[in-house]
Amino acid sequence: QVQLVESGGGLVQAGDSLRLSCAASGGLFSIMSMAWYRQAPGLQRELVAHITSDGRTMYAESVKGRFTITRDENLLSLQMNSLKPEDTADYLCYGEMVVPPTGTLKDFWGKGTLVAVST
């Protein structure tokens, strides 16, 4: 019943910035962690940034210092600065949620938002 919906992708030039958002909705749940993944054509899905319920963050080495992940209630964001062509990918929102009534941990995925960075 939980839905994750991404927004904010687009076509930009190298060096530009974008801010992606992911809205979580769909009833009662508790967020344990959320993350941004990305997948470029022909490549394996890659973890970009991760944030825990207590605010601890982790970043892929390739984006460290350029990207910032934050969460405010049910809204996850990814601020992307100094974008490079190598950042071009479909960006996917991930959430690890505790769902009542049993308190079961479940994974949820958004459908993705495209980011294209030109040279």
Side-chain angles (χ1 to χ4, degrees), residues 1-6 22-25 29 31 34-35 74 76 92-97 107-112:
Q1 64 180 355
V2 176
Q3 295 185 62
L4 304 177
V5 180
E6 303 97 335
C22 172
S25 63
F29 58 87
I31 298 172
M34 296 190 77
N74 292 348
L76 181 73
L92 300 160
C93 180
Y94 165 86
E96 182 184 35
M97 315 290 189
D107 296 340
F108 297 91
W109 291 90
K111 294 187 179 297

Side-chain angles (χ1 to χ4, degrees), residues 2-6 21-25 29-37 47-59 69-78 92-98 106-110:
V2 176
Q3 295 185 62
L4 304 177
V5 180
E6 303 97 335
S21 296
C22 172
S25 63
F29 58 87
S30 297
I31 298 172
M32 292 293 100
S33 69
M34 296 190 77
W36 289 97
Y37 287 75
L47 176 62
V48 177
H50 176 88
I51 185 167
T52 63
S53 60
D54 60 352
R56 289 177 288 120
T57 59
M58 183 177 296
Y59 298 91
I69 186 171
T70 57
R71 184 179 66 85
D72 183 2
E73 299 289 346
N74 292 348
L75 184 64
L76 181 73
S77 298
L78 184 68
L92 300 160
C93 180
Y94 165 86
E96 182 184 35
M97 315 290 189
V98 174
K106 293 189 179 298
D107 296 340
F108 297 91
W109 291 90

